[in-house]
Amino acid sequence: MARRAWGALLSGSGNGVDHLLSTYNANGFYDELFGNAAKPASHSLSVQERLRQLDFDDLRRRASDAERELYNLGITFLVYSDAKAVDRILPFDVIPRIISAKEWAHLEAGVQQRIAALNLFLHDVYHDQKILKDGIIPAELVLGNANYREQMRGIDLPFNTYIHIMGVDLVRDHDGTFRVLEDNGRVPSGVSYVVENRHMMQRAFPDLMGDIGLRSVDNYGVKLLEAMCEIAPPRPEGVDGDPQVVLLSPGAYNSAYFEHIFLAREMGVPLVEGRDLIVENDKVYMKTTGGLRRVDSIYRRIGDDFLDPLAFNPDSMLGVPGIFEAYRKGNVALANAIGTGVADDKAVYAYVPRMIKYYLGEDAIIPNVETHICREPDALKFTLDNLDKLVVKPVGEAGGYGITIGPRASKAELEECRAKLLEDPANYISQPMVPLSVCPTLTEDGIEPRHVDLRPFAITARNTWVLPGGLTRVALKKGTLIVNSSQGGGSKDTWVLTEGPTEEPALESALVDPFQSQSQSQ
Amino acid sequence: MAALLARYAECIFWLARYMERAENLARILDVNETFARDSYGATNWVTIVRLNADEKRFFELYPTASAKNVLNFYILDQQNPTSIIAAVSSARENARQLRPLISTEMWAQINVFYNKLLAWGPNDIAPQNIQRQCAFIKEACQTHTGITEGTFFRDQGWYFYNLGRNLERADQTTRVLDIKYHTLLPSPRDVGTPVDISQWNSLLRSAAGYHAFRRVYPRGLTPAAVAGFLLFNDNFPRSVMVCMREVDSLLNRLNSKYRLRRGTLPLERSDELLGSLASQTIEAVIAGGLHEYLDRLQLSFSSLTSDIAQAFFHADQPATMTA
């Protein structure tokens, strides 16, 4: 809640965080630390109190130490400028975003429900296609989609799971309602920042988080490995030991390489590149110092197109020739499955609430942002009539590209958008501009509200597990709503709280997990 | 037994080599500051360029072999593949590939070290600062060694790391020795003079071997004794003998402990090399020409490296019969 204290704003005295928070004003947006007048955030009171006790210069110093540490530890992504690769950090804001136990229980159930529906949908479209026959989703939207993989028709997967690793982009509107903005069911990234941001906060601000019932994000790697083993094909008679799991990366010059390293380390499995693998007799092997060694389960961070030059893009140098055939025969597991892109398409997204109803007979626990599917004439007309109030998105793009934000667009930009819409309506959806919630954020001028979103991560093999946390992305530029790292966004640590102060042990330790006998140590 | 990806084995071998190389380059530059002075106190930096057979590349980039140019060429010039920054940069690129395998502390230290060198300007490597900066580089490399010793998991990767380190160290010891004996051949009138003696002193000090040498030879210092010490001493950590004994034992253990059946060829080579070192005397070496002997050693290190690569790093390819 924006705190009154207009007097303090003018007084200009004080160097404490207390003073800055007293003059803080969320400008009518829902605030992640304070809530709003109707729903003050009582769960964050103890953190608010601790923040107020900090000295502002101290806060700034600890924040800049934290950023330097990220750089030194190489928690970076590569940016290419002047043909040189430069390491950049994802800017990190030290003021955490806090989610109550009740809010989280709701989000967790919503994410699980959504993933269940999307997996049922994928199994359906690659088998009987009932949902298309029943006219719930236009068949051409699915079958004509660039990410639909005809090669996957009739292939059965363990537990009928296609999306093993999922990231759901959520936003929160002016009254604090969480809504799904986008699904990421191909190769979602960002989970390494969830864990590393927490490590950073533990080092820099142990005084903020002690004793508040903060849920741990430490066991993501254990859960991921467990899922990779669950989906591995059964080992042949007489072969002992755990399945050989690997992480397949495009290599050290990929911008997400840090995350690949992070996940391989957390799982304790080799990080391989395409050149480290070879397919013989429809079985996948890795090249080791002792010769070839069988691989059972692959967490791949390479898109469908580049995975196998024999089955997909023939020009790919990153993939492994023949791997699709090995996969098709059930000799190796891949996560995520091939062809999941048809489920996280922006146009298909609009149908997910109907999908949930169709497969599960339930209403969506987390609603979508109101979406107009421009391929439908009424929606197109509505969009054209309200162009200056809507956000228009092309369905094929990622990373915030090609978006027209009506209220911010010039006349010329609106006309350009109108022309594109008329030319190819099926390529667009439109949504009202969501007044994204804000969170107090350290800026040049003090502490100011900045817009945030939230990407929780979930892992599914037999069951779905949702990491209690998520990537909070923050639009660091004043007033901007686009949080993507490619467009100047940063991130914050996301704190999910337990119900009571000590009801649940804060550390969900990997040590108590029965699954810990993975033998490979590379 | 955990398998090691062949690419990782190759990267870890070269990571160790490049860090060892950076340390030794700093040692050579440090020594050269002394060596480059003739008996009249003037310095001649072209000798170090000649020693490395870098004249062609050097003079394409620089008009004269001034102290400033030579130091820049060997410390900060990224265009020069034999510069310290190029070695550290290569070490860092290997470490980047190895980040899933090595400790975070190993990566962070190399990363910070590289970025520090990257930020150095001409003033940092001015001749009057050179000993301090060489000390910094040596210490950063030794910090790497210490962090590795204390944090790197002791499985196959550790063996490949130490193979690389010891092979490079043996190779570099032959090169330091060559500076003194080949390019800086004492003119007959200088032999035994204070300049000559002080250069041998410096040579030993550059390899951190002065005190060790004194323990073995408390009373005298002859060129032959120093050369023999650096080549054949059984206990000095930078002697070719100690390094090759370590290489041989590492290859042995890779064969027995990890059953890497293709390791037989490099092991045979290394046995042979060790045998020939053990049967040599420094007197015989000097009689036959020290420089020629050092050359032959360097060649055998290089073919041992190819054998190791063939056996372990390209293990998916059929073994070819090399001589």
Side-chain angles (χ1 to χ4, degrees):
Chain A
M1 181 170 42
R3 293 184 92 243
R4 55 278 148 201
W6 304 109
L9 183 69
L10 299 170
S11 76
S13 69
N15 200 20
V17 172
D18 184 26
H19 168 69
L20 290 164
L21 288 181
S22 301
T23 59
Y24 176 84
N25 186 344
N27 301 321
F29 296 101
Y30 186 85
D31 193 278
E32 295 293 340
L33 188 63
F34 299 113
N36 63 12
K39 276 198 270 185
S42 58
H43 64 275
S44 67
L45 280 173
S46 64
V47 176
Q48 292 178 29
E49 206 38 58
R50 289 171 198 206
L51 273 172
R52 285 178 198 289
Q53 281 163 21
L54 294 176
D55 176 69
F56 184 64
D57 291 336
D58 179 46
L59 180 70
R60 232 191 230 303
R61 183 186 53 75
R62 292 206 244 173
S64 78
D65 285 356
E67 289 217 329
R68 182 160 6 110
E69 201 174 330
L70 287 175
Y71 187 64
N72 287 347
L73 289 173
I75 302 174
T76 48
F77 55 96
L78 280 174
V79 176
Y80 291 88
S81 69
D82 303 334
K84 260 185 157 173
V86 188
D87 286 301
R88 286 277 157 73
I89 59 167
L90 181 64
F92 174 62
D93 185 75
V94 295
I95 302 177
R97 187 254 191 92
I98 304 169
I99 299 175
S100 73
K102 191 161 158 261
E103 286 168 341
W104 183 254
H106 169 76
L107 292 181
E108 190 176 33
V111 168
Q112 284 170 335
Q113 179 198 49
R114 199 167 178 99
I115 291 170
L118 290 173
N119 276 318
L120 286 164
F121 168 72
L122 284 162
H123 183 262
D124 189 13
V125 301
Y126 289 123
H127 288 81
D128 300 336
Q129 306 187 335
K130 287 192 202 121
I131 198 167
L132 308 182
K133 288 171 189 155
D134 288 340
I136 309 295
I137 298 179
E140 77 273 18
L141 192 67
V142 173
L143 305 179
N145 193 296
N147 295 307
Y148 179 77
R149 304 280 171 208
E150 184 58 33
Q151 296 99 318
M152 287 297 289
R153 272 305 283 277
I155 298 181
D156 290 319
L157 299 177
F159 320 113
N160 293 336
T161 298
Y162 287 74
I163 301 179
H164 306 91
I165 295 93
M166 171 85 173
V168 187
D169 286 356
L170 304 174
V171 294
R172 211 163 184 189
D173 63 18
H174 63 281
D175 68 0
T177 305
F178 279 104
R179 293 177 180 276
V180 177
L181 185 67
E182 201 173 300
D183 299 297
N184 297 280
R186 278 172 267 187
V187 187
S189 64
V191 73
S192 57
Y193 292 102
V194 177
V195 181
E196 290 294 352
N197 286 353
R198 178 64 54 83
H199 289 164
M200 187 54 60
M201 288 301 285
Q202 280 166 339
R203 285 190 291 267
F205 292 91
D207 41 344
L208 276 186
M209 61 172 63
D211 238 14
I212 58 165
L214 176 55
R215 294 187 65 183
S216 164
V217 291
D218 274 349
N219 60 343
Y220 184 86
V222 174
K223 292 286 185 181
L224 180 57
L225 181 60
E226 192 177 335
M228 294 308 301
C229 290
E230 271 184 23
I231 63 170
R235 310 214 91 189
E237 280 296 308
V239 178
D240 294 334
D242 294 311
Q244 176 70 56
V245 178
V246 300
L247 185 146
L248 176 60
S249 164
Y253 295 97
N254 184 271
S255 63
Y257 182 62
F258 169 71
E259 178 149 305
H260 307 162
I261 296 164
F262 172 86
L263 292 170
R265 294 180 69 108
E266 290 292 308
M267 288 195 283
V269 306
L271 182 154
V272 302
E273 297 176 15
R275 57 187 159 136
D276 299 318
L277 297 181
I278 189 165
V279 178
E280 281 183 3
N281 301 318
D282 299 327
K283 294 182 182 73
V284 182
Y285 297 88
M286 60 177 180
K287 302 169 185 173
T288 77
T289 52
L292 298 181
R293 191 181 168 105
R294 181 80 187 268
V295 170
D296 304 293
S297 190
I298 302 176
Y299 178 30
R300 48 108 173 191
R301 297 290 302 239
I302 296 181
D304 288 357
D305 278 343
F306 297 99
L307 202 51
D308 184 348
L310 300 183
F312 307 109
N313 182 351
D315 298 329
S316 172
M317 303 292 286
L318 301 173
V320 187
I323 200 169
F324 180 72
E325 197 54 23
Y327 177 63
R328 204 179 64 76
K329 293 203 163 135
N331 290 336
V332 70
L334 291 177
N336 286 348
I338 290 168
T340 58
V342 71
D344 75 358
D345 183 90
K346 284 197 181 74
V348 173
Y349 153 89
Y351 294 91
V352 174
R354 300 180 208 176
M355 219 185 261
I356 293 172
K357 193 89 191 163
Y358 180 77
Y359 291 118
L360 304 172
E362 297 168 6
D363 290 323
I365 295 171
I366 311 174
N368 270 15
V369 172
E370 179 192 331
T371 302
H372 310 281
I373 304 162
C374 297
R375 64 162 52 243
E376 296 175 356
D378 290 353
L380 177 62
K381 180 170 187 308
F382 179 85
T383 302
L384 292 170
D385 290 349
N386 294 282
L387 215 47
D388 57 339
K389 300 180 196 74
L390 295 171
V391 179
V392 179
K393 299 176 175 178
V395 293
E397 301 286 328
Y401 292 104
I403 291 180
T404 306
I405 299 175
R408 306 263 166 96
S410 68
K411 256 210 159 75
E413 285 166 336
L414 287 179
E415 284 320 304
E416 191 188 334
C417 177
R418 184 184 304 278
K420 282 185 185 158
L421 267 168
L422 286 167
E423 193 185 332
D424 186 11
N427 194 38
Y428 293 91
I429 57 170
S430 72
Q431 294 169 331
M433 191 153 137
V434 184
L436 254 55
S437 60
V438 294
C439 191
T441 300
L442 193 57
T443 68
E444 288 288 307
D445 303 320
I447 295 177
E448 296 184 343
R450 289 290 184 268
H451 294 290
V452 294
D453 76 349
L454 174 66
R455 178 181 289 182
F457 292 89
I459 295 171
T460 309
R462 194 187 300 274
N463 302 304
T464 295
W465 172 80
V466 187
L467 176 70
L471 180 64
T472 292
R473 296 186 295 180
V474 50
L476 293 171
K477 229 164 86 190
K478 193 170 195 154
T480 182
L481 288 166
I482 297 181
V483 296
N484 302 67
S485 58
S486 52
Q487 313 250 326
S491 75
K492 283 172 172 286
D493 195 6
T494 308
W495 292 4
V496 173
L497 303 181
T498 52
E499 197 63 69
T502 48
E503 270 177 31
E504 186 186 348
L507 185 74
E508 292 166 14
S509 172
L511 296 176
V512 300
D513 196 289
F515 188 89
Q516 53 170 327
S517 55
Q518 186 70 7
S519 63
Q520 65 266 53
S521 56
Q522 304 310 326
Chain B
M1 195 75 76
L4 178 64
L5 215 56
R7 178 168 56 85
Y8 285 175
E10 186 164 22
C11 287
I12 197 78
F13 177 82
W14 284 103
L15 166 64
R17 286 198 76 149
Y18 282 120
M19 288 305 281
E20 185 68 27
R21 189 172 296 176
E23 178 180 340
N24 280 283
L25 284 168
R27 288 179 181 280
I28 289 177
L29 288 180
D30 201 5
V31 180
N32 192 66
E33 223 281 316
T34 317
F35 277 2
R37 288 174 202 282
D38 59 23
S39 50
Y40 307 102
T43 52
N44 187 356
W45 284 87
V46 78
T47 49
I48 192 159
V49 180
R50 240 178 246 147
L51 170 81
N52 289 300
D54 284 334
E55 288 132 299
K56 186 161 176 297
R57 285 187 307 109
F58 179 84
F59 286 109
E60 276 168 10
L61 296 166
Y62 301 88
T64 56
S66 66
K68 187 167 153 269
N69 288 345
V70 172
L71 287 170
N72 191 63
F73 183 70
Y74 282 115
I75 299 180
L76 293 186
D77 194 338
Q78 302 243 33
Q79 285 176 281
N80 173 19
T82 60
S83 70
I84 288 175
I85 200 164
V88 176
S89 169
S90 298
R92 180 168 172 270
E93 286 313 305
N94 279 289
R96 190 199 285 283
Q97 305 260 340
L98 286 163
R99 280 178 69 185
L101 188 71
I102 61 178
S103 67
T104 304
E105 289 162 49
M106 283 172 74
W107 161 256
Q109 191 262 343
I110 293 175
N111 193 34
V112 172
F113 177 31
Y114 172 74
N115 284 316
K116 178 127 190 185
L117 288 183
L118 211 53
W120 278 7
N123 205 27
D124 293 298
I125 55 160
Q128 68 272 22
N129 294 329
I130 208 61
Q131 293 199 328
R132 188 157 45 87
Q133 303 300 60
C134 285
F136 166 81
I137 292 164
K138 274 190 286 186
E139 199 172 309
C141 294
Q142 288 167 336
T143 303
H144 160 77
T145 308
I147 291 174
T148 305
E149 199 278 335
T151 64
F152 190 43
F153 196 71
R154 305 282 171 104
D155 64 359
Q156 271 193 62
W158 172 253
Y159 289 79
F160 284 103
Y161 179 87
N162 283 304
L163 271 181
R165 154 169 301 263
N166 282 286
L167 258 174
E168 183 70 24
R169 187 179 283 178
D171 188 64
Q172 292 292 338
T173 296
T174 62
R175 287 171 200 274
V176 176
L177 199 49
D178 219 13
I179 298 185
K180 176 62 188 156
Y181 233 107
H182 173 53
T183 313
L184 299 175
L185 267 183
S187 65
R189 67 185 163 91
D190 283 342
V191 173
T193 64
V195 170
D196 188 46
I197 296 300
S198 94
Q199 288 183 349
W200 282 104
N201 260 327
S202 302
L203 178 69
L204 277 169
R205 285 183 199 278
S206 84
Y210 180 76
H211 288 105
F213 179 85
R214 277 292 173 223
R215 284 168 64 167
V216 183
Y217 302 96
R219 298 193 57 198
L221 186 153
T222 67
V226 174
F229 179 79
L230 290 176
L231 286 173
F232 303 126
N233 185 275
D234 269 330
N235 304 303
F236 178 58
R238 314 193 79 81
S239 81
V240 172
M241 179 62 105
V242 166
C243 294
M244 290 319 296
R245 191 157 274 160
E246 191 58 29
V247 164
D248 196 60
S249 126
L250 289 161
L251 285 168
N252 232 317
R253 277 177 282 166
L254 276 174
N255 271 19
S256 54
K257 187 171 174 191
Y258 293 97
R259 305 215 160 83
L260 299 185
R261 60 198 193 294
R262 301 181 33 143
T264 325
L265 182 65
L267 183 58
E268 280 169 9
R269 283 246 201 229
S270 129
D271 282 346
E272 226 170 77
L273 184 53
L274 198 58
S276 89
L277 282 171
S279 62
Q280 274 294 359
T281 64
I282 189 61
E283 290 72 23
V285 165
I286 289 175
L290 178 61
H291 170 68
E292 288 70 20
Y293 182 72
L294 295 173
D295 249 8
R296 280 199 303 279
L297 277 181
Q298 287 164 15
L299 275 176
S300 57
F301 299 149
S302 149
S303 49
L304 184 53
T305 299
S306 320
D307 292 339
I308 289 171
Q310 185 67 41
F312 303 116
F313 308 153
H314 311 293
D316 59 306
Q317 290 158 20
T320 49
M321 298 305 291
T322 47

